[in-house]
């Protein structure tokens, strides 16, 4: 039994798909499948039900998953313990970021980190915020840039980088563009374009609507701010974005703060306690890139 087989097993279990797991671990799908078959042969049991398009864990797979994660965590802890003694920054940094991320300081931090520590392999994974938070908790990601309604998400440490109000963004001539401010109840009169469930922005919107007893018509959803703005600019709905997101489209959309959505949308770096040296080094670069403390 090899650690890489356990890594591939955990990747397929979390992605529920052999193709996505192969992309995540950067080898071919046939390579992932072959290694998992060898692991199943050694264990004497099938770990996945392959009868459908989704890779579903069998009872044996369910029983093995927690132990596989624990073995990978223990191997990582061994490397970190040696690095603590030797003062080396090496190994791998698994970083996650929200889909459609255009936060330039994050890329600046990655570039300066890579220049300072070229021996560290950097892996970058894009997903919605909920999946990224789960991956950090599970240890398959070391640190992630996520949208979140709560600082920090339960069980993690976090450094908030952006804290902004929700706004509506509409094209010129729209009734809401003529108002100095907008309330959540005003959304009920218009189709709404927003981020999908699993994103921090959507979590803030859903919570605000629930608190206000409002049920707007969320007719269109898109995972990237560009798409949300484009749909609104074409008159297909009222976009709900954060202040800085909406400001990027000021040439074609007018934004108004949603006055009774008082909880801000947060963008934060999240990581687990006792981070590895590579994570601590990256957070230091993040502090410099964002111009504020990152720990």
């Amino acid at each position: 039994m090899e650690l890489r087989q356990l890594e591939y097993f955990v990747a397929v279990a979390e992605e529920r798909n052999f193709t996505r797991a192969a992309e995540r671990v950067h080898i071919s799908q046939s390579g992932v499948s072959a290694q998992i078959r060898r692991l199943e042969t050694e264990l004497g049991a099938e770990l996945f039900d392959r009868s459908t398009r989704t890779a579903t864990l069998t009872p044996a797979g369910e029983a093995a998953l927690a132990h596989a994660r624990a073995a990978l965590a223990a191997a990582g802890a061994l490397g970190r313990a040696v690095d603590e003694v030797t003062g080396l920054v090496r190994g791998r940094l698994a970083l996650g970021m929200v889909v459609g991320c255009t936060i330039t300081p994050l890329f600046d931090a990655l570039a300066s980190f890579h220049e300072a520590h070229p021996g560290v392999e950097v892996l970058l994974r894009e997903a919605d915020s909920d999946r990224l938070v789960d991956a950090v908790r599970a240890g398959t990601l070391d640190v992630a840039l996520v949208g979140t309604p709560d600082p920090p998400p339960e069980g993690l440490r976090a450094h908030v980088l952006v804290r902004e109000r929700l706004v509506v963004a509409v094209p010129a001539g729209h009734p809401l563009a003529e108002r100095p401010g907008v309330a959540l109840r005003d959304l009920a009169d218009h189709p709404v374009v927003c981020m999908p469930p699993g994103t921090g922005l959507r979590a803030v919107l859903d919570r605000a609507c629930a608190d206000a007893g409002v049920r707007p018509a969320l007719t269109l959803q898109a995972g990237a701010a560009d798409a949300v703005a484009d749909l609104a600019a074409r008159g297909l709905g009222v976009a709900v974005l954060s202040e800085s997101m909406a400001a990027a489209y000021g040439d074609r959309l007018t934004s108004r703060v949603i006055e009774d959505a008082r909880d801000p949308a947060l963008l934060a770096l999240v990581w687990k306690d006792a981070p590895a040296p590579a994570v601590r080094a990256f957070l230091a670069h993040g502090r410099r890139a964002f111009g504020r403390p990152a720990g």
Side-chain angles (χ1 to χ4, degrees):
M1 187 181 304
E2 301 176 6
L3 285 174
R4 63 173 177 165
Q5 293 172 334
L6 300 182
E7 180 184 6
Y8 301 164
F9 165 57
V10 170
V12 175
E14 291 179 350
E15 298 293 340
R16 295 186 297 176
N17 181 276
F18 279 82
T19 300
R20 289 197 300 269
E23 292 172 353
R24 172 169 150 182
V25 298
H26 303 287
I27 70 165
S28 67
Q29 179 180 335
S30 61
V32 169
S33 297
Q35 289 298 325
I36 290 180
R37 283 294 189 193
R38 290 191 183 108
L39 180 61
E40 289 174 324
T41 298
E42 185 170 348
L43 293 174
E46 290 195 348
L47 300 175
F48 293 101
D49 179 357
R50 297 171 174 83
S51 62
T52 65
R53 295 182 64 180
T54 299
T56 305
L57 287 168
T58 63
E62 292 280 3
L65 182 59
H67 296 287
R69 285 173 170 159
L72 292 172
L78 173 63
R80 290 193 295 273
V82 173
D83 288 346
E84 291 284 355
V85 173
T86 61
L88 295 177
V89 178
R90 60 184 181 184
R92 186 178 72 176
L93 175 71
L95 174 68
M97 68 179 187
V98 288
V99 173
C101 176
T102 56
I103 308 299
T104 302
L106 176 68
F107 304 132
D108 292 340
L110 267 177
S112 62
F113 173 82
H114 178 67
E115 183 178 359
H117 307 288
V120 177
E121 178 188 10
V122 177
L123 303 178
L124 188 60
R125 176 181 171 192
E126 193 179 48
D128 66 49
S129 293
D130 283 357
R131 292 182 68 185
L132 294 174
V133 167
D134 289 342
V136 173
R137 287 196 183 109
T140 55
L141 286 177
D142 298 309
V143 61
L145 179 72
V146 302
T148 175
D150 301 300
E154 183 179 355
L156 299 178
R157 296 187 64 188
H159 171 58
V160 176
L161 302 169
V162 176
R163 186 187 303 268
E164 296 181 335
R165 298 286 298 275
L166 293 185
V167 303
V168 297
V170 293
H174 192 282
L176 296 184
E178 308 304 319
R179 301 187 184 186
V182 173
L184 286 163
R185 66 177 178 274
D186 296 325
L187 298 182
D189 299 327
H190 307 277
V192 175
V193 189
C194 59
M195 298 283 188
T199 60
L201 199 74
R202 177 62 178 271
V204 174
L205 175 62
D206 287 348
R207 181 183 295 180
C209 288
D211 290 345
V214 174
R215 299 182 66 182
L218 307 180
T219 56
L220 295 171
Q221 302 177 49
D226 281 350
V228 172
D230 283 345
L231 291 166
R234 286 166 170 76
L236 294 171
V238 173
V240 176
L241 297 166
S242 70
E243 290 173 291
S244 65
M245 284 178 175
Y249 311 106
D251 59 332
R252 45 196 178 122
L253 295 173
T254 298
S255 62
R256 294 287 184 265
V257 171
I258 305 176
E259 295 175 341
D260 51 346
R262 295 184 176 86
D263 288 342
L266 308 176
L267 192 67
L269 289 170
V270 298
W271 66 95
K272 295 176 74 171
D273 278 328
V279 177
R280 291 201 302 272
F282 174 75
L283 291 173
H285 286 271
R287 178 179 61 245
R288 291 192 289 272
F290 284 97
R292 60 187 75 178

